[in-house]
């Protein structure tokens, strides 16, 4: 038995090594990504420092007019989430997580994070940020070219960092639940339509009621499920309060 296990291990290790080797990027791809990451880092650090004219050196020639015409976000921080090299390492899509802030009535200016896709291409041997104004819109009937795109529309994703998100973008599917029987449970779902994450906190002062959240930290376009349960025949009647941060939105859920 021990001999068979030894054979299995000897057979397994070469396969693991081959798989790991296949996943390693080529030296050319690794060098291109390293250079790209350095340029992205420099570009967004200049945005953080509001050195917009110095950042112009990182903008492609066909995008300079759009760059100067567009609004500049108040960038508080950023990180690179994903790099996708394309077209033989001369173009790339870089997903960043940008930290900005928004003004919330009654709470002042609060931070939020937005994942944003940015486009980069090689120009004169350097990675340059650009906007593809001729990008095709994908429809069920094929690709449709975006003719006559305005500077504000072309820079929409970039400029959206400067705007506060819709405070009504976080929704709950019900504000009342009923627990019937000796052992009963119910659910409510909260959906996050924000461009960044939100956090949930629960205030429950109802005796005999248990409230659980499967995901208190909801990413953009994510959902969280609240589960209400009781044990025994005790009467349940009260309000559970769920607070959404950083919006300070409050959902009151009546439980009976």
């Amino acid at each position: 038995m021990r001999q068979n296990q030894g054979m299995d291990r000897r057979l397994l290790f070469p396969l693991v090594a081959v798989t790991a080797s296949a996943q390693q990027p080529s030296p050319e791809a690794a060098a291109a990504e390293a250079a790209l990451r350095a340029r992205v880092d420099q570009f967004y650090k200049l945005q953080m420092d509001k050195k917009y004219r110095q950042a112009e050196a990182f903008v492609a020639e066909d995008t300079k007019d759009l760059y100067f015409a567009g609004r500049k976000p108040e960038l508080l921080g950023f990180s690179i989430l994903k790099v996708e090299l394309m077209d033989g390492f001369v173009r790339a899509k870089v997903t960043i997580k940008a930290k900005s802030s928004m003004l919330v009535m009654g709470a002042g200016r609060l931070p939020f994070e937005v994942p944003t896709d940015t486009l980069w291409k090689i120009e004169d041997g350097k990675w340059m940020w650009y906007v593809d104004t001729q990008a095709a819109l994908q429809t069920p009937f094929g690709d449709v070219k975006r003719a006559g795109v305005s500077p504000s529309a072309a820079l929409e994703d970039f400029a959206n960092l400067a705007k506060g998100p819709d405070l009504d973008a976080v929704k709950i599917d019900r504000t009342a639940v009923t627990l019937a029987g000796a052992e009963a449970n119910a659910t409510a779902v909260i959906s996050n339509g924000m461009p960044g994450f939100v956090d949930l906190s629960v205030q429950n002062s109802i005796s005999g009621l248990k409230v659980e959240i499967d995901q208190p930290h909801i990413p953009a376009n994510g959902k969280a499920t609240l589960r209400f349960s009781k044990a025994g025949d005790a009467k349940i009647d009260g309000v559970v309060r769920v607070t959404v941060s950083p919006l300070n939105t409050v959902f009151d859920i009546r439980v009976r």
Side-chain angles (χ1 to χ4, degrees):
M1 183 68 177
R2 183 175 299 173
Q3 182 179 1
N4 290 339
Q5 289 178 344
M7 290 178 63
D8 290 342
R9 290 169 62 85
R10 288 193 297 271
L11 289 171
L12 175 62
F13 287 163
L15 292 176
V16 173
V18 169
T19 302
S21 176
Q23 293 175 346
Q24 294 296 320
S26 67
E28 294 82 3
E33 180 172 338
L36 173 58
R37 284 178 175 270
R39 294 281 290 179
V40 173
D41 187 69
Q42 292 173 321
F43 177 68
Y44 284 105
K45 281 182 177 177
L46 289 170
Q47 299 295 327
M48 288 178 60
D49 294 338
K50 296 182 173 59
K51 296 180 178 179
Y52 304 123
R53 288 198 173 274
Q54 290 91 324
E56 182 263 343
F58 294 78
V59 179
E61 188 64 34
D62 59 7
T63 304
K64 290 186 185 296
D65 289 343
L66 299 179
Y67 173 74
F68 284 115
R71 292 178 293 115
K72 307 301 185 295
E74 181 186 8
L75 194 61
L76 303 179
F78 72 95
S79 59
I80 299 174
L81 297 180
K82 182 181 178 182
V83 173
E84 182 182 351
L85 297 172
M86 301 177 292
D87 300 339
F89 316 142
V90 298
R91 294 181 185 271
K93 180 170 71 174
V94 180
T95 304
I96 67 164
K97 181 168 67 175
K99 185 176 181 180
S100 190
S101 64
M102 62 180 177
L103 187 62
V104 178
M105 187 171 297
R109 187 163 287 278
L110 299 175
F112 70 98
E113 294 179 320
V114 183
T116 304
D117 289 337
T118 64
L119 297 177
W120 295 76
K121 64 181 177 181
I122 292 290
E123 191 172 271
D124 295 329
K126 297 179 181 179
W127 284 107
M128 309 292 281
W129 175 77
Y130 77 99
V131 173
D132 186 359
T133 60
Q134 298 302 316
L137 293 177
Q138 294 184 348
T139 76
F141 308 101
D143 292 348
V144 178
K145 290 294 183 180
R146 299 176 63 188
V149 177
S150 67
S152 59
L155 288 174
E156 182 177 358
D157 286 342
F158 188 69
N160 275 345
L161 297 178
K163 299 190 298 182
D166 181 4
L167 299 185
D168 295 325
V170 179
K171 303 179 184 300
I172 190 168
D173 67 343
R174 67 193 63 189
T175 56
V177 296
T178 301
L179 303 176
E183 294 187 5
N185 57 75
T187 61
V189 177
I190 295 178
S191 303
N192 177 23
M194 296 267 290
F197 73 87
V198 296
D199 291 313
L200 306 180
S201 60
V202 176
Q203 294 177 318
N204 172 31
S205 58
I206 303 175
S207 178
L209 176 68
K210 183 179 181 180
V211 184
E212 298 176 299
I213 308 179
D214 67 344
Q215 188 171 218
H217 182 88
I218 316 179
N221 300 315
K223 295 182 180 181
T225 300
L226 286 81
R227 291 184 171 85
F228 306 86
S229 59
K230 72 166 187 172
D233 296 323
K235 183 178 180 180
I236 299 291
D237 191 357
V239 174
V240 171
R241 175 160 291 186
V242 180
T243 302
V244 182
S245 300
L247 303 181
N248 283 344
T249 299
V250 175
F251 295 119
D252 286 335
I253 307 169
R254 186 66 182 239
V255 185
R256 293 177 177 173

